Amino acid sequence: MSGHVLTIALGNSLLWSVYLLLTRHVVSGAQLDAWAYTLVQLLTAGLAMLWVGRRTPGSWADLLVPWTVCYAFMRVIINGCTAAAIVWLAVTQSTLLSTMSVLIGAASGWALTRKAPSRRDWPGLALLALGVAAFAAGLGSETAWRGVAWLIASEAIAVAASWMIAYHPRNRAADPAARSRFTGEILVAASLALIFVWTLAGLVGAMASPWAGGGDAFGRIELWFYAILAGLLFRAPGTWLGFWTINHSGVQTYLIALTAMPFFAIALEAVFARLGWLTPASLTTPEWLAAGVILAGAVWLIVIRVRTPRPS
């Protein structure tokens, strides 16, 4: 993989790290409805990408293509599983454990392509597996296993969604406008799937309906302001770059680049904590040691990708 592709992939990880920290700060600080915040930013990002790709022929009916609908509902399930995971886990813990996606990606890639990971990958994968297992085993809470289970489900579906993007012909288009329209359709479809599932969950009493109390979930101007900014500044470019990375480097390399995200987030948290904006990551000594092993595995795999010209 070229250094150019790696730089963009790692830059995208940094972008998502900033997004994650700001979202935590904004949603908790302003006490916004997390589902409404996510929905507005998905819709905003999708409409923005459709505008960027406006010269590409298309139809609103493309939102109802079975592949797009399936992917959209997968994104909703991923968001739901992640939300369930952080009920039992701290956000920093969940982001570190989410690096298991590389292991899931390696196993699924092996099954799909009948091609085992290269011999040079195995030490990095072993370090990553050891670090994730040690981190999970060292979690202090007796109920943390529930969060880990939800996270496994989330990452497994996220990896499956990444393979869907990798095999979709529209993600291989050379025209940036066509790729932008494709990204926009995916994001708008995801927002529609989210409001559908949320409404259905409200009707059966599983959670508060988005339309309860005259639509209070969307009734705050702060929510619209922050969500629209997040959609334009983070969700739209982050999704486009993620799809681009998958096309140019493969699913596994894309997932490996994302392993940098929790460490970017930890570093940013430390900086913001010194400024008094938020509290730094709170991990136990065993968790910090396990995080170090995860980092070693991630660095190994990234270095191998730089030295390997072919995508994997």
Side-chain angles (χ1 to χ4, degrees):
M1 180 179 64
S2 71
H4 171 68
V5 174
L6 176 63
T7 299
I8 292 176
L10 291 177
N12 195 35
S13 293
L14 177 59
L15 181 74
W16 283 115
S17 300
V18 176
Y19 161 80
L20 179 64
L21 288 177
L22 292 180
T23 293
R24 285 167 53 192
H25 184 68
V26 166
V27 172
S28 61
Q31 297 182 331
L32 303 178
D33 186 296
W35 285 76
Y37 176 81
T38 300
L39 192 149
V40 172
Q41 63 168 274
L42 280 171
L43 183 58
T44 300
L47 293 176
M49 295 310 299
L50 286 176
W51 183 83
V52 172
R54 63 192 181 280
R55 65 180 177 82
T56 303
S59 167
W60 288 107
D62 293 336
L63 297 176
L64 300 178
V65 172
W67 186 99
T68 303
V69 172
C70 178
Y71 184 90
F73 278 99
M74 289 175 73
R75 293 309 313 179
V76 175
I77 296 171
I78 293 166
N79 288 340
C81 289
T82 302
I86 61 176
V87 170
W88 310 101
L89 298 170
V91 174
T92 303
Q93 292 173 330
S94 68
T95 54
L96 284 165
L97 287 171
S98 68
T99 56
M100 72 175 74
S101 63
V102 173
L103 304 173
I104 298 172
S108 59
W110 193 347
L112 287 169
T113 66
R114 306 294 187 216
K115 198 171 190 179
S118 70
R119 292 175 59 185
R120 292 188 295 177
D121 279 350
W122 281 108
L125 292 172
L127 283 170
L128 199 59
L130 176 62
V132 169
F135 195 97
L139 293 171
S141 171
E142 294 181 358
T143 57
W145 64 270
R146 299 178 183 177
V148 175
W150 281 112
L151 203 59
I152 291 172
S154 173
E155 294 306 318
I157 298 171
V159 170
S162 297
W163 283 111
M164 288 180 67
I165 291 295
Y167 283 111
H168 200 289
R170 290 184 65 191
N171 192 50
R172 301 175 185 176
D175 183 8
R179 296 171 58 83
S180 296
R181 181 173 183 86
F182 171 66
T183 304
E185 289 172 0
I186 292 295
L187 290 167
V188 171
S191 71
L192 296 177
L194 179 56
I195 195 64
F196 175 81
V197 171
W198 189 5
T199 300
L200 187 62
L203 288 174
V204 300
M207 61 189 300
S209 170
W211 316 116
D216 287 345
F218 300 97
R220 297 179 57 189
I221 189 65
E222 304 100 310
L223 182 141
W224 288 91
F225 175 75
Y226 288 125
I228 289 173
L229 280 181
L232 295 175
L233 299 179
F234 297 101
R235 179 73 67 170
T239 304
W240 195 95
L241 288 172
F243 289 1
W244 182 91
T245 302
I246 288 173
N247 182 43
H248 283 75
S249 65
V251 170
Q252 186 67 351
T253 301
Y254 162 73
L255 296 172
I256 288 169
L258 287 181
T259 61
M261 190 173 72
F263 301 101
F264 284 144
I266 289 171
L268 290 170
E269 280 181 332
V271 173
F272 292 159
R274 286 191 72 86
L275 296 173
W277 294 352
L278 47 78
T279 56
S282 178
L283 299 175
T284 64
T285 299
E287 287 174 342
W288 278 116
L289 292 174
V293 178
I294 293 173
L295 177 60
V299 170
W300 178 285
L301 291 168
I302 289 171
V303 170
I304 289 302
R305 285 305 178 284
V306 174
R307 294 179 177 179
T308 304
R310 62 175 179 82
S312 59

